[in-house]
Each structure stands twice: as structure tokens, then as C-alpha cells.
Amino acid sequence: MNKKQRSNDLMKQLFKQLPEKQLPADFRSAVMQQVMAETVRLKKRNERFGFIAVLIASVCMIALAIMALIFHGIPKISIQLPSVIYFSFYGFIGICCLFLLFLDYFFRKKFKEKQDSFLK
């Protein structure tokens, strides 16, 4: 017999000597509560790390922007409004977009009602 087989036989004998005990009735629920609590804890930790990473990246970007403005100088900003002629064109495009959005909403609503009636 080799050493590994002897240790396996010894382990089997030791496990046979152990008395069989029943698990508590709420064992499964207690384990699931612990698992859920650990999941919530990990999720909160990951959210905190993500928030800190976004915060650090934002501060770095703002610092780089300020440094670039200081190095290159602050440019002069001028705003020109389009002439009144273009407002009618932009209004027409806006009305067309609103009409298409309404049609999309209407058809999606009808399709969902049709699916819900089919599933029932």
C-alpha cells in the first residue's frame, strides 16, 4: 500500500466515526441571507470605487483644461445667432420630429397591446 491510499483509508475511518447530525431547519435560509448580504456589500463597494474613479478622472480633466487655458491663453468667445429666416426651417424640422415621435409612441402602444392580448 502506498502512502496516499493509507491516508485515504484513515480519512474514511475517521469520517465513519463522526456522528451524523441534522442541519438546523433554517440553515438554508440563513446561508442565503449571508450570501445576499455579501452580494449587497460587494455591490456597494464596487459602486464606491466607481464613483471615486469617476471623481478622480473628472478632477484630472478639469485640471488639464485649466492648465491648457492658462498655457494657451483664454480665447475670445463670440456668439452669433442665426437670422430669422432659418427659424421657420428649424420649426418645420422640429414639428416633423414631434410628429414622428408621436407615431412611434402610438405604434409601440398598439404593438404592446397586441402582444399582451396574444399572451393572455
Side-chain angles (χ1 to χ4, degrees):
M1 257 190 214
N2 59 16
K3 192 174 187 180
K4 186 176 181 180
Q5 191 173 4
R6 275 191 230 151
S7 64
N8 284 342
D9 290 339
L10 181 62
M11 292 294 280
K12 285 180 185 178
Q13 289 175 358
L14 290 174
F15 279 121
K16 285 181 184 178
Q17 291 176 0
L18 285 174
E20 287 191 27
K21 292 184 179 180
Q22 293 290 337
L23 292 174
D26 64 340
F27 176 77
R28 183 179 291 173
S29 64
V31 169
M32 288 306 294
Q33 285 177 350
Q34 288 178 349
V35 168
M36 295 302 260
E38 183 69 18
T39 302
V40 168
R41 188 184 69 78
L42 287 175
K43 186 176 179 182
K44 285 182 180 180
R45 186 188 74 183
N46 290 339
E47 286 176 357
R48 274 188 246 123
F49 283 144
F51 178 72
I52 290 170
V54 168
L55 187 67
I56 290 172
S58 299
V59 168
C60 289
M61 289 175 63
I62 290 171
L64 284 173
I66 291 172
M67 289 172 51
L69 285 175
I70 291 171
F71 181 71
H72 290 294
I74 299 174
K76 294 180 181 177
I77 299 173
S78 63
I79 298 174
Q80 294 179 349
L81 294 175
S83 67
V84 180
I85 299 169
Y86 296 117
F87 284 127
S88 61
F89 175 70
Y90 294 142
F92 175 71
I93 296 296
I95 290 170
C96 288
C97 288
L98 287 174
F99 178 70
L100 289 173
L101 283 171
F102 172 74
L103 283 178
D104 179 61
Y105 168 76
F106 178 74
F107 285 128
R108 285 179 188 260
K109 186 177 175 183
K110 287 293 183 186
F111 181 73
K112 182 156 176 58
E113 287 174 1
K114 193 175 186 180
Q115 273 188 334
D116 289 344
S117 66
F118 178 72
L119 294 175
K120 288 181 181 179

